[in-house]
Each structure stands twice: as structure tokens, then as C-alpha cells.
Amino acid sequence: MSSHPQSLLCLVVKLLKCRFARYSIALLATTACAPISQEPPTPFTLHPSTFILNSQTPTPGWSIAPISAYQVGDEIYCIHQLTPPDGMVAQVISKLEGSITLLLPKPAPNSAPTVSHYILGKTWNWNSDPKLTFLKSLDEIADQLKTATPLKLAAAQK
């Protein structure tokens, strides 16, 4: 028997409606109150959080796009893909800016997650920002990703 107050009340009402006490047991055994509709628990509210990265490229026209993100312990791994420019371009060091927007739980005040940016597709041999990690393939962080939790990327705004 449920200990919920509405279920108990329903049971008492059904017993009172019964004309004879000997029918009470049959009534209890064969009928039950309709299940009480409970509000589903409030879904975990996720908020968009945008993280920006800057780098330099050997030529203009390079683009960067987020491809995935993972929660690895207390850290967030953001994976990006570089794409080279089409055709001939000037050989001049250029600035590249990218961003990734993730749906994350609202952080506590004055707390920001530790974010690591991993970038695939680099073809030059220097790194202008030590905060960025350039990978030849995801195999380099495969062990960390085995136990990671995938995070949802927010839809790109047009």
C-alpha cells in the first residue's frame, strides 16, 4: 500500500462507499485508486556558455569549427577542426578567432570551468598560444576520452 496521503484518502473513500464490510476486502483486492499524476522532476536547466580562442595562421583564410566537447573530470575538452583556405593566398601571418558554445549547467558565482582547446588540422610548425593544444589525431587524447562525458554543443547562430 502506498504511503502517499492521496492514496490513503482514496482507499478510505472506497471503503466507505462499500455497503458491507465483507466486500471491503474484495474491493481492496480488485480495485485501486488511479495513479496519482506526479509532476516530472524539473529538468536540469542548461545554459549556453561560449568560449573563445585565438590563434595565428601562416596565411589568411583558415577557418576553425567546433566538432565536439567533453567533460573530463573537472575540465572541459573542446575539440576543433582547422580548415585551410581554398586556392592561392598571401603568405602573411594572420589572426584566427574561433568560438564554441556549449550547453552547461549554470556555474556557481565566481566559478568558471577549466577549458582546454584541442585543435586538429594544423600544418605549420609553430604555436602562437600555449593555451591551445594542436593534435595530429584524437588518438593522442583517446585515453582521457574513454571515460569522458560528451557535452552538447549549442546550435550555431546564423
Side-chain angles (χ1 to χ4, degrees):
M1 188 182 319
S2 175
S3 63
H4 196 279
Q6 287 181 328
S7 296
L8 184 58
L9 178 61
C10 184
L11 174 66
V12 171
V13 169
K14 286 197 178 212
L15 285 174
L16 292 174
K17 284 183 178 179
C18 183
R19 292 184 182 187
F20 304 101
R22 65 183 174 162
Y23 295 116
S24 296
I25 294 174
L27 179 66
L28 288 174
T30 59
T31 61
C33 289
I36 298 168
S37 64
Q38 294 179 339
E39 293 285 325
T42 305
F44 200 85
T45 305
L46 299 176
H47 302 276
S49 297
T50 300
F51 304 97
I52 307 240
L53 63 112
N54 292 295
S55 185
Q56 290 181 333
T57 61
T59 60
W62 282 84
S63 62
I64 189 164
I67 55 174
S68 59
Y70 299 90
Q71 179 81 40
V72 182
D74 293 336
E75 194 171 358
I76 295 175
Y77 284 21
C78 297
I79 315 294
H80 306 268
Q81 178 67 53
L82 280 169
T83 305
D86 290 330
M88 299 287 290
V89 291
Q91 296 291 312
V92 60
I93 293 178
S94 302
K95 182 179 178 184
L96 174 71
E97 184 174 289
S99 68
I100 184 169
T101 302
L102 305 174
L103 296 176
L104 299 173
K106 191 167 189 167
N110 301 324
S111 117
T114 301
V115 178
S116 296
H117 294 281
Y118 293 92
I119 303 169
L120 300 164
K122 183 179 91 153
T123 60
W124 55 95
N125 63 0
W126 44 269
N127 182 1
S128 61
D129 187 347
K131 295 176 189 170
L132 305 178
T133 304
F134 292 92
L135 305 173
K136 292 185 195 276
S137 78
L138 286 179
D139 293 341
E140 295 178 52
I141 58 170
D143 287 341
Q144 293 94 324
L145 296 181
K146 284 180 186 174
T147 59
T149 304
L151 297 174
K152 187 170 180 119
L153 275 64
Q157 295 182 358
K158 295 180 180 181

